[in-house]
Amino acid sequence: MNLKEEMKAMSQQVDAALAQWLPDSDVFPAVIHDAMRYSVFAGGKKLRPVLVLAACHAVGGVQEEVLPAAAALEMIHTYSLIHDDLPAMDDDDLRRGRPTNHKVYGEAVAVLAGDALLTRAFGVLAEAGMASARRDPARAALYLQVAQEVAEASGTLGMIGGQVVDMESEDKQIDMEIMEYIHRHKTGALIRVSLRVGALLGGGSAEQLAALTTYGEHLGLAFQITDDLLDIQGDEAKLGKPVGSDEKNQKSTYPSLLGIDGARQAAEQAMADALAALESFDEGAQVLRELARYLLVREN
Amino acid sequence: MNLKEEMKAMSQQVDAALAQWLPDSDVFPAVIHDAMRYSVFAGGKKLRPVLVLAACHAVGGVQEEVLPAAAALEMIHTYSLIHDDLPAMDDDDLRRGRPTNHKVYGEAVAVLAGDALLTRAFGVLAEAGMASARRDPARAALYLQVAQEVAEASGTLGMIGGQVVDMESEDKQIDMEIMEYIHRHKTGALIRVSLRVGALLGGGSAEQLAALTTYGEHLGLAFQITDDLLDIQGDEAKLGKPVGSDEKNQKSTYPSLLGIDGARQAAEQAMADALAALESFDEGAQVLRELARYLLVREN
């Protein structure tokens, strides 16, 4: 299998897990479950859950053991998108080529659908942990650690913190330090913790956990820089959203601070650093290696 | 100590726990931590955390063991109030006599402050569980169960579900069945789980857990009915919010469906049922008994 096929296979397994762990669309009160599924199954890349599965694979872990946690991370990512798109925040009408959640269900349901996905994510981690602990009591503490790390990565010292500083920086000239803070937190923290969750639940050693954490930090940076580049040079049809929004919003980005060539070089450096972190891994880390290379040439 | 003094003492311990588990107001990015604390320390009754402590006390548990979970439940309650007050939801300007979160910090920060409190609540449960498991490994699974129950009570099959049906019922004539669904979920689920969390972490028996669950269900009902009555007969200055809003919003309430006398009788019956559930408990359940009686005469 090449990377595209591999990612597609993983993404289908994640979709199946999400379908299993989310209430059906017709469960009362139906509108909220429908709204949750609308955004979760909007055809995203499922990058975070794929990273969980790939990290688990890299340390020789069992995929079934990490699927619920992978689904939980996608729920958290999706909740953050729903809330980011709200009129009070970025006020976006389109996401992945479809109307945003509040455009379809109204603002009140969109706020609650985000809340519900975040809540469900921790419910899934707890339930999966209870099931795992019934097979092996020692795993209960591991799931508590996973929940703690996911909460930290999603909270005000992680993703939410990055979003706050991003909002505060709107229409302002910011320096490299603040921009790196934003990206390391707004998108980087969840990417980083996805790798840690896969390694932790997959039974990786402390060294493997550290190496995958480093990989995740560089991958998150490469992902963000290419995201900024796509906003300048991307194809709207392939992206599923308008390009040029950063410039329109006078947003400081890697290209605006480093120039396009400088940003591309920084992305290449980040990719090289990500690959270097995987040096001690065998073939099991092949998906992670290809993912890092793929980010540089992605079109959406 | 009488009930007022007892509740005040408990509420001060909860405040201390909240202060300990929430990031300080000056931690970067300060605005979000300030916004979280603004609503958490707004002088509420702290009913849910007091119920956690009182249930723990009733089963002979150690208070220190449940304080973090008590704080987590107050964070979840507070997040739900911040989001409920948003313009897209109830659009309220005042809460407990002070400007609502979005009136002070703006809508975007208010959305994120709610998200952050919900996230932090599960982070606190996980951290407290890890600390407890270091003292006694068997407790890790118990904390997973607590997290699972709290997530369920706060999610679409609990509090959020009640909020959704409440919104859908606006400006509509609803029957008793729907109204009971709303209250059993919107406010009842979190009250009920507060008692369960106190009993579970306090080491209560299965019988004690069941009895406290029943108590919680009746208490939640009594609380809701008296809330409806206060909206008709209450004193704005004592309530810290305008009265008559249910009638203005053409909201179906216990008094509107049963009449004021009928509603008062229903509240008294709920209180009697709550007290009956405590029959097998000794003096340790005195605070819970007085709380049920207090609800009938409360003024805010």
Side-chain angles (χ1 to χ4, degrees):
Chain A
M1 274 204 271
N2 63 27
L3 179 70
K4 260 214 162 118
E5 287 163 1
E6 196 110 34
M7 277 194 74
K8 201 176 165 195
M10 284 182 173
S11 153
Q12 282 168 349
Q13 286 170 306
V14 170
D15 278 347
L18 284 162
Q20 178 198 333
W21 287 98
L22 287 171
D24 282 335
S25 286
D26 56 359
V27 170
F28 185 83
V31 63
I32 188 77
H33 300 126
D34 201 45
M36 291 162 82
R37 283 175 174 262
Y38 174 81
S39 290
V40 166
F41 297 116
K45 284 180 288 296
K46 306 277 192 304
L47 175 63
R48 289 144 199 86
V50 163
L51 290 173
V52 175
L53 298 188
C56 170
H57 189 67
V59 301
V62 181
Q63 183 156 294
E64 285 65 39
E65 180 72 54
V66 297
L67 266 173
L73 278 157
E74 185 65 13
M75 291 180 200
I76 291 178
H77 174 58
T78 306
Y79 116 74
S80 77
L81 299 182
I82 295 174
H83 282 188
D84 278 6
D85 287 338
L86 287 170
M89 313 269 274
D90 288 352
D91 195 12
D92 277 320
D93 296 349
L94 283 179
R95 161 79 62 186
R96 295 167 182 166
R98 303 199 309 167
T100 44
N101 198 288
H102 65 272
K103 280 283 159 188
V104 179
Y105 298 94
E107 259 182 84
V109 170
V111 170
L112 292 171
D115 295 345
L117 284 169
L118 175 56
T119 307
R120 184 67 187 133
F122 286 104
V124 168
L125 288 179
E127 279 180 48
M130 288 165 77
S132 182
R134 278 192 289 274
R135 297 188 294 271
D136 173 5
R139 293 188 66 84
L142 197 58
Y143 271 88
L144 287 177
Q145 186 185 344
V146 164
Q148 188 274 320
E149 293 209 9
V150 170
E152 188 168 313
S154 317
T156 58
L157 306 181
M159 184 178 73
I160 292 176
Q163 173 69 12
V164 169
V165 177
D166 193 19
M167 283 172 7
E168 286 184 330
S169 307
E170 252 168 49
D171 305 321
K172 260 190 228 168
Q173 192 67 34
I174 58 170
D175 60 17
M176 198 63 169
E177 196 188 346
I178 292 287
M179 197 181 59
E180 284 194 342
Y181 176 93
I182 293 171
H183 296 321
R184 216 167 43 238
H185 291 79
K186 186 175 172 177
T187 51
L190 216 54
I191 288 175
R192 177 179 182 274
V193 86
S194 297
L195 289 146
R196 290 183 61 84
V197 166
L200 283 166
L201 295 180
S205 67
E207 290 73 28
Q208 289 177 316
L209 179 63
L212 289 171
T213 304
T214 304
Y215 165 86
E217 289 166 356
H218 293 299
L219 188 83
L221 180 63
F223 181 79
Q224 187 57 53
I225 302 175
T226 54
D227 213 53
D228 287 353
L229 285 166
L230 282 172
D231 191 70
I232 297 175
Q233 305 178 311
D235 178 331
E236 293 200 359
K238 286 175 183 160
L239 276 174
K241 63 180 179 185
V243 300
S245 68
D246 290 340
E247 201 183 345
K248 201 181 73 191
N249 299 330
Q250 295 188 282
K251 217 162 167 170
S252 299
T253 63
Y254 284 93
S256 78
L257 288 184
L258 302 176
I260 288 185
D261 286 347
R264 187 146 281 281
Q265 275 169 31
E268 276 164 22
Q269 184 60 51
M271 182 200 76
D273 292 342
L275 290 176
L278 298 178
E279 253 169 22
S280 61
F281 285 85
D282 63 12
E283 276 300 295
Q286 209 48 36
V287 172
L288 293 176
R289 291 193 184 94
E290 290 178 36
L291 250 171
R293 292 190 198 105
Y294 153 79
L295 282 189
L296 285 193
V297 297
R298 71 198 180 105
E299 294 182 316
N300 65 31
Chain B
M1 273 204 272
N2 64 24
L3 179 70
K4 261 220 163 110
E5 286 162 359
E6 196 109 33
M7 277 193 72
K8 200 176 165 193
M10 283 183 174
S11 152
Q12 281 167 349
Q13 284 169 307
V14 171
D15 277 347
L18 284 163
Q20 178 197 332
W21 287 98
L22 288 171
D24 282 335
S25 286
D26 56 0
V27 171
F28 185 81
V31 64
I32 188 77
H33 299 125
D34 199 46
M36 292 162 81
R37 284 175 173 260
Y38 174 81
S39 290
V40 166
F41 297 115
K45 282 180 291 295
K46 305 276 189 308
L47 175 63
R48 290 145 198 85
V50 163
L51 289 173
V52 176
L53 298 188
C56 170
H57 188 66
V59 301
V62 181
Q63 181 156 298
E64 284 66 38
E65 180 72 52
V66 297
L67 266 173
L73 278 157
E74 184 66 13
M75 290 180 201
I76 291 179
H77 173 59
T78 305
Y79 116 74
S80 76
L81 299 181
I82 295 175
H83 282 189
D84 278 8
D85 287 338
L86 287 170
M89 311 272 273
D90 289 352
D91 195 13
D92 277 321
D93 296 348
L94 283 179
R95 162 78 63 186
R96 296 167 181 165
R98 302 200 308 168
T100 44
N101 199 288
H102 65 270
K103 280 282 161 192
V104 179
Y105 297 95
E107 261 183 83
V109 170
V111 170
L112 293 172
D115 295 344
L117 284 168
L118 174 56
T119 306
R120 184 66 188 135
F122 286 103
V124 168
L125 288 179
E127 279 179 49
M130 288 165 75
S132 182
R134 276 193 288 273
R135 297 187 294 271
D136 172 6
R139 292 189 66 85
L142 197 59
Y143 271 88
L144 286 177
Q145 185 184 344
V146 164
Q148 188 275 321
E149 293 209 12
V150 169
E152 188 168 314
S154 319
T156 59
L157 305 180
M159 182 178 75
I160 292 176
Q163 173 70 11
V164 168
V165 177
D166 193 21
M167 282 172 7
E168 285 183 330
S169 307
E170 252 169 46
D171 305 322
K172 261 191 228 165
Q173 191 68 33
I174 58 171
D175 60 18
M176 198 62 167
E177 198 187 343
I178 293 286
M179 197 181 61
E180 285 194 341
Y181 175 92
I182 293 170
H183 296 321
R184 216 164 48 237
H185 291 80
K186 188 175 170 175
T187 50
L190 216 55
I191 288 176
R192 177 180 182 275
V193 86
S194 297
L195 289 146
R196 289 183 62 83
V197 167
L200 283 167
L201 295 181
S205 67
E207 291 72 28
Q208 289 177 316
L209 178 62
L212 289 171
T213 304
T214 304
Y215 165 86
E217 288 166 358
H218 293 299
L219 188 84
L221 180 63
F223 181 79
Q224 188 56 54
I225 302 175
T226 52
D227 213 52
D228 288 353
L229 285 165
L230 281 173
D231 191 68
I232 297 175
Q233 306 178 310
D235 178 330
E236 293 200 2
K238 285 176 183 160
L239 277 172
K241 61 180 179 186
V243 301
S245 68
D246 291 339
E247 202 184 345
K248 200 183 74 191
N249 298 330
Q250 296 189 282
K251 217 164 168 167
S252 299
T253 62
Y254 284 92
S256 77
L257 288 183
L258 302 175
I260 288 185
D261 285 350
R264 186 147 282 283
Q265 274 167 34
E268 278 165 18
Q269 184 60 51
M271 181 200 76
D273 292 341
L275 290 176
L278 298 179
E279 252 168 22
S280 61
F281 285 85
D282 63 12
E283 276 300 295
Q286 209 47 38
V287 171
L288 293 176
R289 290 192 184 93
E290 288 177 39
L291 249 172
R293 293 189 197 104
Y294 154 78
L295 281 190
L296 285 191
V297 297
R298 72 198 180 104
E299 294 181 315
N300 64 32

